[in-house]
Every structure is written in structure tokens, then in C-alpha cells.
Amino acid sequence: MRLSHNLNTGILINPNKPMTQKPLYTKDDEWRESATEPPKTVLTPGRTVWRIDYARLVHSPSFRRLQGKTQLFPGESDFFRNRLTHSIEVCQIAKGIAMQLNEVHFHDADNLPADDREKYKISTDLVEFAALAHDLGHPPFGHNGEAALDECMAPHGGFEGNAQTFHILARLERKRATSWPPLEFGSSSDLRRGLNLTCRALAAVLKYDKKIPRGRKEKDPLVKGYYEDEETLVQQIREKVTGIKGFSEPLKTIECQIMDIADDIAYSTYDFEDAMKAGFTSPLDIFRLRRDSTLLRRIAIKVWQNVNNRKDVIFKDEEKIPDEYIGPITDTENYVLGFLEEICLGLVPKPDRITKALEDDDVKPTDFPQYDDFLNYRDATVLSFAYQQAKLVQEDGYYRTRMTSDLVGEFVQGVSLDVNPEIPALSKVIVNDKVRKKIESLKRYTFESHIETTRLKSFESRGKEIVRTVFKSLEQNPSLLPSDWRTRYNAKERDNDHRMRCISDFVAGMTDRYALEFFQRQKGGDPGTIFRQP
């Protein structure tokens, strides 16, 4: 009898028998809240339950609306990424990570019969589902819209993008209810089941396993987690996924972790590319970072905190860091500079090309009255050439595509897995320290130097005002809601928290354009553009 040996787990595999380690997936992972699903769902040959969940997502209205929601820059150009195109890129990266981990850690499963193989390898269908779904809950105008809704909803259970994603999939989407024909509410019960997904699919989008409390004040910090109304469902998911009754530890499955890492990779690289295309940065700006000590220090602090999981350390004055942290922060500054400048040096031409450009001008020192005049001319020519090349990087897609492709490839290769033999679903997906520092450096540079710019902040502030105004208008006059939403708003035996959640759900589902049109019908005015100087 031939046995194969898994070097990562030390497990001997008989290709004719199931693997002796615990499977990644069990029958409990396929549990759905609504057991009966008229019309009957057909599981055709080769179509997994996870692929059914994937299909339900792709055909849902909330997924389609992602094309009308901002990623980094508002949709004033057909080049910039929106939430839909961003999600597709995250999906591709996440699947690549899953395939790599399967090849390294679970390749022995290829020796098993086809029916058993899927239980012992990371499901790329589930990973793709999580990646495509991860931004469903983002409201119009990105994080500023999220902040506006959380302020409005603070007394009623809050608002948070990840919690809203879970809420959409488990409750809001109109695929299944516990009765047929479907009813949304009855006897004080919420009968909606959203897309009625498997519990493992819902677990794949549960990034923050923490209940958001009710009764918060408007200016309280935003809390990441899930809404209180979903608490029972979350507990059921914990128990089904782990197979442990009463399991109460935070749950973050292997698919969710892969999605989270892929999101970081996509955000750090592609938002940086968009910022170059938009003219918000160029290689010259990065080279000037050495002279902007305040910005560099701010970036380095965030990178150090995130890489070392030290968000407990808060510097009230970034210019006066305690002695015990000066060394690590200074080292991080040097690392950030070195990495970012390395990227730019790979894009701009080498010094010999600049020298060649001067030679081609056929200009000699003897052509000038004074040698200093020649030096000034030479320096001005070098600066002009460098500026032209920096503009070329901004405008030429070949340069930017090469940059992002190289970075994404390197980052994906830095992902590995620490298998949990007791609960394989909770195995740890790990990004090595070198790659993690690079991802964080790009993320923080993009955020601190671009998202915090006056032009973008002024537009986002306008977005926050729009979302808040729309919410308050509907709170004061719910008759402005569409008829189906008014029915939900007026459901019998529901309290004020329910009514406010109904308004919040409606506003959160708006695209940027729809929210703006709704606002203008109420208030009028020009929304402006990020490309207009304040």
C-alpha cells in the first residue's frame, strides 16, 4: 500500500482512505437558518453548496450597487476603482492566496476521492464569496458616510460597515424568509433570512466578532462588530463552525482571514496607483518625504503600531515621543523611506539616462559666460527631466501596472498558514513580518498623504453632510421612503430602534449618485468635485 507523507503536518495519507487529520469542512458548515427553500434548490453535479452561496451573492441587488460606491476617489472618471472593481480585485488575490496555501499545506488531499477532497482543502468558492461580499455594507461616500450613519444610529445599536455586510446577507436581501409566501415580520419576530446562506459563508464575512452595544452617545467612537439583533445567529454560527456547544471565543475563519489579507494587499497597492493617476502623488512627492518630518513621523507611528499590534500605545504629541519608543519609531521611519524610495527608483530612469539627455543637448560649459551659469543650467535641466519622468509615471499605465503587479506578487508570496489541528477552520493565516511592513507602509502613506489632503477631505466632509441630512430628513418624514420600505418601517409590534434601523438600512444601500440626488431634492446645491481647489 502506497502512503504519501505531508511534510507540513507529519500525517501519513492513504490515498484510498480519508485523511487522519480533521477536515476543514463538515456537514454542520452547510447549516442554513431556513431549512426549507421553495423553490427547491438543485445541487447539480460539481456544484458545491458554497457555489450556491456565491451565485446568490453575485445575483443580488446589493452586490450590483457596489459599482456606484466610492473606493478612494469619487466616480468622476472611468479609471478610478469603485467598490465593485475593488472587490473583484480582492477576489482574484484571495483566490490566489487560497490556491497557494492549498498547494503548500493541503496538497495531500489530491490523493483522496473527489467527494472527500473538498473537505480537506480551502474552498476557493468560499474565499471568493467572502472577497466579493466584504464591502457590501459600505454606505455612500465611504468611511465618512459610515461615520455619519454611526452618529445617527449610536443610540439605536450603531452603524458599521462590516456589521452591515453581515446584516445584508443574513437579513436584508430578499431571497428567503422562514415562511412561504414570505413575510418579513410576525409576532414580534424578524422572519427575514436574507440570502439564507450557509453558516460557513456568513462566518467568512464576520471580521469582528463583537456585539455593538445600544445606547451609545452620538460622539462615541465607532465600534466594529455585529448588530445586537444578530447575536443569536452569530452564536449559532460559532457552534456550527467549531463543533463546540457554547463556544464563545471570537470567531475568525480561515476564509475570513484570507479575505482580510487580500483586502489589505489590494488597498495598499491599487489605491496607491489610483492616487498617482489622479495626480495626488508622484515619485517626486515620495522623495520629498525625507523633508516632511511631520508626515513621515505620523506614517511611521501607524506602521509601528499595526505591525507590532501596539494600538494600546497612544502618542498625544507625535513630536515628543517617550524615550523608550524613539528607537523603534526612528527605525520604522527609515524602513518606510527605504521601501517607498525603492519603489520609485524602480520606476524613474537611472542617472545615466539623465546624463545622456544632457549630452544630447550638446551644451558645453564654454557656452556660458560663467561656469556657475552652466551649473545652474545643468541643475535646472536635471530637475526638468526628473519632473517629466515623474509625470510619465503618473500618466503611463505600463509603469503603474508593472509596479502593482510586482508588489501584489511579492505580497501574496509572503502569506503562509499555521494549521490548527483541533479546529482547522480557525487555522491562522500569517503574513511574514517583511511583507506586512511593506503593506502597512503603503497603506499608511496613501491614507496620511492622500486621504487626508484638503481637496479630498473637503469633498468627503460634504459626503458626510449629505448622508446625515438624508437620514435626518427620513427620520422627520418617513413618508419619503419607497412603499416597500414604508411597509417595513411600519411593521407591527416593532420599536423605535427597528424604525431607525430601517432608515439606516435604506440610506446605507444608496449609491453615491442616488444619495446626492436625494439630498439635492431636499436641499439643492452643487456637490462640487475633488479636482477643484478649495
Side-chain angles (χ1 to χ4, degrees):
M1 181 184 299
R2 183 177 64 84
L3 297 178
S4 61
H5 188 262
N6 187 325
L7 298 177
N8 299 293
T9 64
I11 295 174
L12 290 175
I13 306 296
N14 180 344
N16 299 314
K17 293 183 179 180
M19 297 174 71
T20 54
Q21 72 178 53
K22 292 183 178 180
L24 278 168
Y25 305 98
T26 68
K27 200 65 179 176
D28 280 346
D29 289 319
E30 300 178 15
W31 175 83
R32 303 177 191 269
E33 275 195 287
S34 181
T36 57
E37 294 201 327
K40 185 179 180 181
T41 299
V42 179
L43 193 60
T44 56
R47 189 186 191 209
T48 66
V49 291
W50 322 126
R51 198 65 187 178
I52 291 173
D53 290 343
Y54 176 93
R56 290 182 180 185
L57 168 67
V58 170
H59 292 289
S60 66
S62 56
F63 180 70
R64 293 196 298 272
R65 284 196 292 269
L66 288 176
Q67 66 185 309
K69 295 191 177 185
T70 294
Q71 172 61 19
L72 177 62
F73 298 113
E76 301 179 26
S77 164
D78 58 7
F79 175 85
F80 301 132
R81 290 163 172 87
N82 54 46
R83 290 285 176 186
L84 179 62
T85 58
H86 165 72
S87 297
I88 293 171
E89 288 171 335
V90 174
C91 178
Q92 186 275 329
I93 295 171
K95 185 175 183 178
I97 293 172
M99 293 170 66
Q100 172 182 290
L101 295 180
N102 278 337
E103 184 65 26
V104 173
H105 294 273
F106 303 113
H107 59 277
D108 283 328
D110 291 332
N111 297 322
L112 297 173
D115 290 344
D116 292 331
R117 193 176 304 149
E118 299 298 328
K119 302 175 185 176
Y120 292 91
K121 301 188 80 170
I122 300 170
S123 168
T124 54
D125 285 343
L126 263 179
V127 168
E128 287 184 288
F129 167 87
L132 289 179
H134 82 281
D135 268 352
L136 284 186
H138 274 281
F141 304 108
H143 292 292
N144 282 274
E146 180 182 41
L149 283 178
D150 186 54
E151 290 175 4
C152 294
M153 287 295 295
H156 312 289
F159 179 91
E160 195 266 328
N162 298 286
Q164 189 69 12
T165 294
F166 189 89
H167 183 56
I168 289 169
L169 295 172
R171 293 289 175 263
L172 289 188
E173 276 295 347
R174 298 175 183 179
K175 180 71 175 179
R176 293 289 181 265
T178 56
S179 62
W180 193 263
L183 297 174
E184 293 197 331
F185 302 99
S187 300
S188 299
S189 297
D190 191 338
L191 304 179
R192 298 170 298 168
R193 293 297 176 262
L195 296 179
N196 196 32
L197 302 170
T198 61
C199 64
R200 190 62 177 262
L202 289 174
V205 297
L206 192 63
K207 284 178 62 174
Y208 305 101
D209 187 357
K210 178 181 179 181
K211 181 174 67 175
I212 301 174
R214 297 182 192 268
R216 293 162 52 242
K217 295 180 180 179
E218 184 173 307
K219 296 302 181 182
D220 286 349
L222 183 142
V223 177
K224 295 184 177 183
Y226 58 85
Y227 300 140
E228 188 176 288
D229 287 343
E230 273 87 73
E231 183 176 14
T232 299
L233 174 58
V234 170
Q235 182 56 33
Q236 289 174 308
I237 292 172
R238 289 196 197 105
E239 295 178 359
K240 294 291 185 181
V241 170
T242 63
I244 301 173
K245 188 70 175 177
F247 186 86
S248 59
E249 297 297 316
L251 185 76
K252 192 165 187 179
T253 65
I254 190 171
E255 300 86 13
C256 185
Q257 295 173 66
I258 291 172
M259 169 269 286
D260 206 8
I261 291 167
D263 187 26
D264 276 352
I265 292 174
Y267 172 86
S268 63
T269 53
Y270 297 130
D271 283 9
F272 180 66
E273 179 188 2
D274 278 2
M276 276 199 174
K277 175 64 176 178
F280 274 64
T281 192
S282 77
L284 294 182
D285 293 312
I286 290 178
F287 288 129
R288 285 199 295 266
L289 188 57
R290 284 185 178 272
R291 297 184 176 275
D292 192 341
S293 58
T294 300
L295 176 59
L296 178 59
R297 174 61 55 87
R298 192 161 64 243
I299 293 170
I301 287 174
K302 295 297 184 183
V303 172
W304 178 82
Q305 287 175 324
N306 291 340
V307 168
N308 295 283
N309 295 315
R310 293 303 308 271
K311 294 182 180 180
D312 58 308
V313 179
I314 299 174
F315 303 112
K316 295 182 179 179
D317 187 346
E318 294 175 351
E319 300 299 322
K320 298 178 181 178
I321 293 179
D323 292 343
E324 61 183 303
Y325 299 113
I326 288 179
I329 297 299
T330 301
D331 290 344
T332 304
E333 287 178 344
N334 292 332
Y335 181 87
V336 170
L337 274 175
F339 170 58
L340 294 178
E341 289 177 352
E342 179 185 0
I343 292 176
C344 292
L345 288 172
L347 294 173
V348 298
K350 301 298 184 288
D352 59 338
R353 287 188 58 191
I354 299 178
T355 303
K356 181 66 167 54
L358 284 171
E359 292 174 353
D360 290 344
D361 286 345
D362 195 26
V363 176
K364 304 178 182 60
T366 54
D367 295 335
F368 294 83
Q370 302 291 332
Y371 185 68
D372 285 349
D373 294 336
F374 167 74
L375 294 179
N376 291 334
Y377 172 83
R378 182 197 64 187
D379 292 346
T381 302
V382 169
L383 288 173
S384 174
F385 190 84
Y387 175 78
Q388 289 174 349
Q389 292 303 312
K391 293 292 289 183
L392 178 63
V393 170
Q394 287 179 305
E395 297 168 0
D396 193 322
Y398 285 105
Y399 286 91
R400 296 191 309 272
T401 300
R402 186 185 70 186
M403 173 191 69
T404 55
S405 178
D406 290 346
L407 288 171
V408 170
E410 179 186 356
F411 293 167
V412 169
Q413 291 298 315
V415 181
S416 61
L417 188 68
D418 181 10
V419 177
N420 183 330
E422 296 302 318
I423 311 177
L426 302 187
S427 298
K428 297 296 183 184
V429 185
I430 301 165
V431 181
N432 71 47
D433 290 343
K434 181 180 178 181
V435 167
R436 192 177 179 197
K437 286 175 73 173
K438 289 184 176 183
I439 292 173
E440 287 296 330
S441 296
L442 267 181
K443 280 177 59 179
R444 297 320 307 185
Y445 175 77
T446 301
F447 183 86
E448 299 294 342
S449 60
H450 309 141
I451 295 178
E452 292 295 304
T453 59
T454 302
R455 278 192 288 169
L456 202 53
K457 289 294 288 183
S458 62
F459 191 89
E460 289 185 338
S461 176
R462 178 69 161 161
K464 184 175 182 179
E465 177 193 354
I466 290 170
V467 171
R468 185 179 179 86
T469 300
V470 169
F471 183 96
K472 293 299 182 182
S473 295
L474 291 168
E475 182 181 12
Q476 296 167 10
N477 187 6
S479 64
L480 296 173
L481 289 166
S483 60
D484 54 341
W485 284 89
R486 288 201 303 274
T487 299
R488 182 177 298 176
Y489 179 92
N490 293 320
K492 292 182 179 179
E493 301 180 22
R494 307 304 290 180
D495 57 19
N496 191 52
D497 286 346
H498 157 78
R499 290 188 285 273
M500 294 303 100
R501 179 64 64 194
C502 180
I503 293 174
S504 173
D505 289 342
F506 177 66
V507 176
M510 291 179 169
T511 62
D512 294 2
R513 181 181 295 277
Y514 182 36
L516 177 58
E517 290 174 352
F518 196 103
F519 172 84
Q520 288 178 321
R521 286 200 298 269
Q522 305 302 311
K523 302 293 182 181
D526 178 8
T529 168
I530 62 168
F531 297 102
R532 181 185 302 157
Q533 293 287 355

PDB file of all heavy atoms in Angstrom, residues 331-356:
ATOM      1  N   ASP A 331      13.558  53.729  13.612  1.00  0.00           N
ATOM      2  CA  ASP A 331      13.850  52.599  12.725  1.00  0.00           C
ATOM      3  C   ASP A 331      12.727  52.407  11.701  1.00  0.00           C
ATOM      4  O   ASP A 331      12.980  52.107  10.531  1.00  0.00           O
ATOM      5  CB  ASP A 331      14.024  51.313  13.541  1.00  0.00           C
ATOM      6  CG  ASP A 331      15.309  51.313  14.363  1.00  0.00           C
ATOM      7  OD1 ASP A 331      16.190  52.137  14.074  1.00  0.00           O
ATOM      8  OD2 ASP A 331      15.407  50.488  15.297  1.00  0.00           O
ATOM      9  N   THR A 332      11.495  52.590  12.160  1.00  0.00           N
ATOM     10  CA  THR A 332      10.352  52.437  11.247  1.00  0.00           C
ATOM     11  C   THR A 332      10.341  53.546  10.204  1.00  0.00           C
ATOM     12  O   THR A 332      10.029  53.304   9.032  1.00  0.00           O
ATOM     13  CB  THR A 332       9.027  52.447  12.034  1.00  0.00           C
ATOM     14  OG1 THR A 332       9.056  51.427  13.038  1.00  0.00           O
ATOM     15  CG2 THR A 332       7.844  52.187  11.116  1.00  0.00           C
ATOM     16  N   GLU A 333      10.692  54.763  10.604  1.00  0.00           N
ATOM     17  CA  GLU A 333      10.795  55.866   9.638  1.00  0.00           C
ATOM     18  C   GLU A 333      11.796  55.530   8.540  1.00  0.00           C
ATOM     19  O   GLU A 333      11.523  55.713   7.350  1.00  0.00           O
ATOM     20  CB  GLU A 333      11.220  57.154  10.351  1.00  0.00           C
ATOM     21  CG  GLU A 333      10.141  57.777  11.210  1.00  0.00           C
ATOM     22  CD  GLU A 333      10.629  59.022  11.928  1.00  0.00           C
ATOM     23  OE1 GLU A 333      11.858  59.231  11.994  1.00  0.00           O
ATOM     24  OE2 GLU A 333       9.797  59.790  12.419  1.00  0.00           O
ATOM     25  N   ASN A 334      12.955  55.010   8.944  1.00  0.00           N
ATOM     26  CA  ASN A 334      13.986  54.665   7.965  1.00  0.00           C
ATOM     27  C   ASN A 334      13.509  53.538   7.047  1.00  0.00           C
ATOM     28  O   ASN A 334      13.799  53.549   5.840  1.00  0.00           O
ATOM     29  CB  ASN A 334      15.269  54.256   8.685  1.00  0.00           C
ATOM     30  CG  ASN A 334      15.923  55.419   9.414  1.00  0.00           C
ATOM     31  OD1 ASN A 334      15.768  56.575   9.018  1.00  0.00           O
ATOM     32  ND2 ASN A 334      16.640  55.126  10.482  1.00  0.00           N
ATOM     33  N   TYR A 335      12.772  52.592   7.608  1.00  0.00           N
ATOM     34  CA  TYR A 335      12.273  51.481   6.793  1.00  0.00           C
ATOM     35  C   TYR A 335      11.255  51.991   5.775  1.00  0.00           C
ATOM     36  O   TYR A 335      11.306  51.625   4.597  1.00  0.00           O
ATOM     37  CB  TYR A 335      11.634  50.411   7.664  1.00  0.00           C
ATOM     38  CG  TYR A 335      11.129  49.242   6.854  1.00  0.00           C
ATOM     39  CD1 TYR A 335      11.964  48.187   6.537  1.00  0.00           C
ATOM     40  CD2 TYR A 335       9.825  49.229   6.350  1.00  0.00           C
ATOM     41  CE1 TYR A 335      11.528  47.129   5.753  1.00  0.00           C
ATOM     42  CE2 TYR A 335       9.374  48.183   5.557  1.00  0.00           C
ATOM     43  CZ  TYR A 335      10.229  47.139   5.269  1.00  0.00           C
ATOM     44  OH  TYR A 335       9.798  46.110   4.482  1.00  0.00           O
ATOM     45  N   VAL A 336      10.305  52.819   6.235  1.00  0.00           N
ATOM     46  CA  VAL A 336       9.275  53.356   5.337  1.00  0.00           C
ATOM     47  C   VAL A 336       9.921  54.132   4.197  1.00  0.00           C
ATOM     48  O   VAL A 336       9.572  53.952   3.017  1.00  0.00           O
ATOM     49  CB  VAL A 336       8.292  54.245   6.115  1.00  0.00           C
ATOM     50  CG1 VAL A 336       7.374  55.002   5.164  1.00  0.00           C
ATOM     51  CG2 VAL A 336       7.464  53.410   7.090  1.00  0.00           C
ATOM     52  N   LEU A 337      10.874  54.994   4.528  1.00  0.00           N
ATOM     53  CA  LEU A 337      11.569  55.764   3.494  1.00  0.00           C
ATOM     54  C   LEU A 337      12.267  54.852   2.499  1.00  0.00           C
ATOM     55  O   LEU A 337      12.140  55.023   1.277  1.00  0.00           O
ATOM     56  CB  LEU A 337      12.600  56.695   4.147  1.00  0.00           C
ATOM     57  CG  LEU A 337      12.116  58.052   4.628  1.00  0.00           C
ATOM     58  CD1 LEU A 337      13.228  58.780   5.351  1.00  0.00           C
ATOM     59  CD2 LEU A 337      11.625  58.894   3.451  1.00  0.00           C
ATOM     60  N   GLY A 338      13.012  53.873   3.024  1.00  0.00           N
ATOM     61  CA  GLY A 338      13.761  52.980   2.150  1.00  0.00           C
ATOM     62  C   GLY A 338      12.848  52.214   1.208  1.00  0.00           C
ATOM     63  O   GLY A 338      13.141  52.084   0.007  1.00  0.00           O
ATOM     64  N   PHE A 339      11.748  51.702   1.721  1.00  0.00           N
ATOM     65  CA  PHE A 339      10.828  50.910   0.900  1.00  0.00           C
ATOM     66  C   PHE A 339      10.155  51.764  -0.161  1.00  0.00           C
ATOM     67  O   PHE A 339      10.108  51.399  -1.345  1.00  0.00           O
ATOM     68  CB  PHE A 339       9.790  50.243   1.798  1.00  0.00           C
ATOM     69  CG  PHE A 339       8.656  49.609   1.039  1.00  0.00           C
ATOM     70  CD1 PHE A 339       8.900  48.638   0.091  1.00  0.00           C
ATOM     71  CD2 PHE A 339       7.339  49.996   1.274  1.00  0.00           C
ATOM     72  CE1 PHE A 339       7.852  48.053  -0.631  1.00  0.00           C
ATOM     73  CE2 PHE A 339       6.292  49.419   0.569  1.00  0.00           C
ATOM     74  CZ  PHE A 339       6.557  48.446  -0.389  1.00  0.00           C
ATOM     75  N   LEU A 340       9.612  52.926   0.223  1.00  0.00           N
ATOM     76  CA  LEU A 340       8.915  53.782  -0.738  1.00  0.00           C
ATOM     77  C   LEU A 340       9.868  54.321  -1.798  1.00  0.00           C
ATOM     78  O   LEU A 340       9.528  54.396  -2.986  1.00  0.00           O
ATOM     79  CB  LEU A 340       8.212  54.927  -0.012  1.00  0.00           C
ATOM     80  CG  LEU A 340       7.052  54.534   0.919  1.00  0.00           C
ATOM     81  CD1 LEU A 340       6.492  55.763   1.616  1.00  0.00           C
ATOM     82  CD2 LEU A 340       5.955  53.826   0.137  1.00  0.00           C
ATOM     83  N   GLU A 341      11.067  54.694  -1.382  1.00  0.00           N
ATOM     84  CA  GLU A 341      12.035  55.198  -2.359  1.00  0.00           C
ATOM     85  C   GLU A 341      12.499  54.084  -3.291  1.00  0.00           C
ATOM     86  O   GLU A 341      12.781  54.329  -4.473  1.00  0.00           O
ATOM     87  CB  GLU A 341      13.224  55.836  -1.631  1.00  0.00           C
ATOM     88  CG  GLU A 341      12.856  57.154  -0.962  1.00  0.00           C
ATOM     89  CD  GLU A 341      14.007  57.765  -0.180  1.00  0.00           C
ATOM     90  OE1 GLU A 341      15.053  57.084  -0.039  1.00  0.00           O
ATOM     91  OE2 GLU A 341      13.872  58.911   0.273  1.00  0.00           O
ATOM     92  N   GLU A 342      12.560  52.862  -2.777  1.00  0.00           N
ATOM     93  CA  GLU A 342      12.911  51.719  -3.628  1.00  0.00           C
ATOM     94  C   GLU A 342      11.875  51.530  -4.733  1.00  0.00           C
ATOM     95  O   GLU A 342      12.228  51.241  -5.888  1.00  0.00           O
ATOM     96  CB  GLU A 342      13.009  50.454  -2.779  1.00  0.00           C
ATOM     97  CG  GLU A 342      13.350  49.201  -3.573  1.00  0.00           C
ATOM     98  CD  GLU A 342      13.323  47.949  -2.715  1.00  0.00           C
ATOM     99  OE1 GLU A 342      13.045  48.051  -1.497  1.00  0.00           O
ATOM    100  OE2 GLU A 342      13.574  46.860  -3.259  1.00  0.00           O
ATOM    101  N   ILE A 343      10.603  51.693  -4.386  1.00  0.00           N
ATOM    102  CA  ILE A 343       9.545  51.593  -5.407  1.00  0.00           C
ATOM    103  C   ILE A 343       9.752  52.647  -6.489  1.00  0.00           C
ATOM    104  O   ILE A 343       9.698  52.351  -7.689  1.00  0.00           O
ATOM    105  CB  ILE A 343       8.159  51.783  -4.765  1.00  0.00           C
ATOM    106  CG1 ILE A 343       7.817  50.597  -3.846  1.00  0.00           C
ATOM    107  CG2 ILE A 343       7.083  51.922  -5.841  1.00  0.00           C
ATOM    108  CD1 ILE A 343       6.508  50.770  -3.109  1.00  0.00           C
ATOM    109  N   CYS A 344      10.018  53.873  -6.060  1.00  0.00           N
ATOM    110  CA  CYS A 344      10.158  54.964  -7.024  1.00  0.00           C
ATOM    111  C   CYS A 344      11.417  54.816  -7.879  1.00  0.00           C
ATOM    112  O   CYS A 344      11.409  55.108  -9.080  1.00  0.00           O
ATOM    113  CB  CYS A 344      10.178  56.299  -6.293  1.00  0.00           C
ATOM    114  SG  CYS A 344       8.589  56.695  -5.552  1.00  0.00           S
ATOM    115  N   LEU A 345      12.499  54.355  -7.272  1.00  0.00           N
ATOM    116  CA  LEU A 345      13.732  54.174  -8.036  1.00  0.00           C
ATOM    117  C   LEU A 345      13.560  53.096  -9.097  1.00  0.00           C
ATOM    118  O   LEU A 345      14.258  53.099 -10.112  1.00  0.00           O
ATOM    119  CB  LEU A 345      14.878  53.802  -7.091  1.00  0.00           C
ATOM    120  CG  LEU A 345      15.395  54.943  -6.204  1.00  0.00           C
ATOM    121  CD1 LEU A 345      16.382  54.412  -5.174  1.00  0.00           C
ATOM    122  CD2 LEU A 345      16.047  56.036  -7.050  1.00  0.00           C
ATOM    123  N   GLY A 346      12.619  52.191  -8.856  1.00  0.00           N
ATOM    124  CA  GLY A 346      12.335  51.188  -9.864  1.00  0.00           C
ATOM    125  C   GLY A 346      11.495  51.720 -11.008  1.00  0.00           C
ATOM    126  O   GLY A 346      11.373  51.069 -12.054  1.00  0.00           O
ATOM    127  N   LEU A 347      10.910  52.899 -10.825  1.00  0.00           N
ATOM    128  CA  LEU A 347      10.048  53.483 -11.856  1.00  0.00           C
ATOM    129  C   LEU A 347      10.742  54.562 -12.670  1.00  0.00           C
ATOM    130  O   LEU A 347      10.548  54.673 -13.876  1.00  0.00           O
ATOM    131  CB  LEU A 347       8.797  54.086 -11.198  1.00  0.00           C
ATOM    132  CG  LEU A 347       7.831  53.106 -10.516  1.00  0.00           C
ATOM    133  CD1 LEU A 347       6.754  53.889  -9.778  1.00  0.00           C
ATOM    134  CD2 LEU A 347       7.194  52.179 -11.540  1.00  0.00           C
ATOM    135  N   VAL A 348      11.569  55.393 -12.004  1.00  0.00           N
ATOM    136  CA  VAL A 348      12.200  56.516 -12.696  1.00  0.00           C
ATOM    137  C   VAL A 348      13.476  56.047 -13.383  1.00  0.00           C
ATOM    138  O   VAL A 348      14.071  55.048 -12.988  1.00  0.00           O
ATOM    139  CB  VAL A 348      12.530  57.659 -11.706  1.00  0.00           C
ATOM    140  CG1 VAL A 348      11.269  58.191 -11.068  1.00  0.00           C
ATOM    141  CG2 VAL A 348      13.501  57.192 -10.628  1.00  0.00           C
ATOM    142  N   PRO A 349      13.920  56.757 -14.416  1.00  0.00           N
ATOM    143  CA  PRO A 349      15.120  56.347 -15.148  1.00  0.00           C
ATOM    144  C   PRO A 349      16.380  56.493 -14.310  1.00  0.00           C
ATOM    145  O   PRO A 349      16.440  57.300 -13.385  1.00  0.00           O
ATOM    146  CB  PRO A 349      15.129  57.292 -16.353  1.00  0.00           C
ATOM    147  CG  PRO A 349      14.356  58.482 -15.898  1.00  0.00           C
ATOM    148  CD  PRO A 349      13.304  57.950 -14.986  1.00  0.00           C
ATOM    149  N   LYS A 350      17.387  55.726 -14.635  1.00  0.00           N
ATOM    150  CA  LYS A 350      18.659  55.758 -13.922  1.00  0.00           C
ATOM    151  C   LYS A 350      19.413  57.045 -14.249  1.00  0.00           C
ATOM    152  O   LYS A 350      19.199  57.670 -15.298  1.00  0.00           O
ATOM    153  CB  LYS A 350      19.506  54.544 -14.284  1.00  0.00           C
ATOM    154  CG  LYS A 350      18.834  53.212 -13.964  1.00  0.00           C
ATOM    155  CD  LYS A 350      18.577  53.087 -12.466  1.00  0.00           C
ATOM    156  CE  LYS A 350      18.002  51.722 -12.119  1.00  0.00           C
ATOM    157  NZ  LYS A 350      16.594  51.579 -12.565  1.00  0.00           N
ATOM    158  N   PRO A 351      20.357  57.465 -13.360  1.00  0.00           N
ATOM    159  CA  PRO A 351      21.092  58.727 -13.571  1.00  0.00           C
ATOM    160  C   PRO A 351      21.807  58.810 -14.916  1.00  0.00           C
ATOM    161  O   PRO A 351      21.925  59.892 -15.491  1.00  0.00           O
ATOM    162  CB  PRO A 351      22.095  58.733 -12.413  1.00  0.00           C
ATOM    163  CG  PRO A 351      21.429  57.921 -11.340  1.00  0.00           C
ATOM    164  CD  PRO A 351      20.668  56.861 -12.062  1.00  0.00           C
ATOM    165  N   ASP A 352      22.270  57.658 -15.446  1.00  0.00           N
ATOM    166  CA  ASP A 352      22.995  57.726 -16.716  1.00  0.00           C
ATOM    167  C   ASP A 352      22.099  58.188 -17.856  1.00  0.00           C
ATOM    168  O   ASP A 352      22.567  58.787 -18.837  1.00  0.00           O
ATOM    169  CB  ASP A 352      23.629  56.377 -17.048  1.00  0.00           C
ATOM    170  CG  ASP A 352      22.599  55.264 -17.155  1.00  0.00           C
ATOM    171  OD1 ASP A 352      21.509  55.420 -16.590  1.00  0.00           O
ATOM    172  OD2 ASP A 352      22.899  54.248 -17.798  1.00  0.00           O
ATOM    173  N   ARG A 353      20.791  57.932 -17.737  1.00  0.00           N
ATOM    174  CA  ARG A 353      19.863  58.406 -18.770  1.00  0.00           C
ATOM    175  C   ARG A 353      19.714  59.926 -18.700  1.00  0.00           C
ATOM    176  O   ARG A 353      19.538  60.592 -19.713  1.00  0.00           O
ATOM    177  CB  ARG A 353      18.500  57.737 -18.613  1.00  0.00           C
ATOM    178  CG  ARG A 353      18.489  56.272 -19.037  1.00  0.00           C
ATOM    179  CD  ARG A 353      17.090  55.725 -19.045  1.00  0.00           C
ATOM    180  NE  ARG A 353      16.218  56.475 -19.935  1.00  0.00           N
ATOM    181  CZ  ARG A 353      14.893  56.337 -19.964  1.00  0.00           C
ATOM    182  NH1 ARG A 353      14.301  55.480 -19.145  1.00  0.00           N
ATOM    183  NH2 ARG A 353      14.167  57.054 -20.791  1.00  0.00           N
ATOM    184  N   ILE A 354      19.746  60.458 -17.468  1.00  0.00           N
ATOM    185  CA  ILE A 354      19.684  61.917 -17.326  1.00  0.00           C
ATOM    186  C   ILE A 354      20.941  62.547 -17.898  1.00  0.00           C
ATOM    187  O   ILE A 354      20.898  63.559 -18.614  1.00  0.00           O
ATOM    188  CB  ILE A 354      19.503  62.290 -15.842  1.00  0.00           C
ATOM    189  CG1 ILE A 354      18.185  61.699 -15.313  1.00  0.00           C
ATOM    190  CG2 ILE A 354      19.530  63.793 -15.655  1.00  0.00           C
ATOM    191  CD1 ILE A 354      17.943  61.964 -13.850  1.00  0.00           C
ATOM    192  N   THR A 355      22.101  61.935 -17.626  1.00  0.00           N
ATOM    193  CA  THR A 355      23.368  62.444 -18.177  1.00  0.00           C
ATOM    194  C   THR A 355      23.343  62.406 -19.699  1.00  0.00           C
ATOM    195  O   THR A 355      23.782  63.337 -20.370  1.00  0.00           O
ATOM    196  CB  THR A 355      24.536  61.597 -17.648  1.00  0.00           C
ATOM    197  OG1 THR A 355      24.531  61.609 -16.236  1.00  0.00           O
ATOM    198  CG2 THR A 355      25.869  62.128 -18.171  1.00  0.00           C
ATOM    199  N   LYS A 356      22.780  61.297 -20.222  1.00  0.00           N
ATOM    200  CA  LYS A 356      22.691  61.169 -21.679  1.00  0.00           C
ATOM    201  C   LYS A 356      21.814  62.272 -22.274  1.00  0.00           C
ATOM    202  O   LYS A 356      22.117  62.820 -23.343  1.00  0.00           O
ATOM    203  CB  LYS A 356      22.101  59.803 -22.023  1.00  0.00           C
ATOM    204  CG  LYS A 356      21.971  59.513 -23.516  1.00  0.00           C
ATOM    205  CD  LYS A 356      23.338  59.401 -24.180  1.00  0.00           C
ATOM    206  CE  LYS A 356      23.222  58.792 -25.584  1.00  0.00           C
ATOM    207  NZ  LYS A 356      22.279  59.478 -26.463  1.00  0.00           N
TER     208      LYS A 356
END
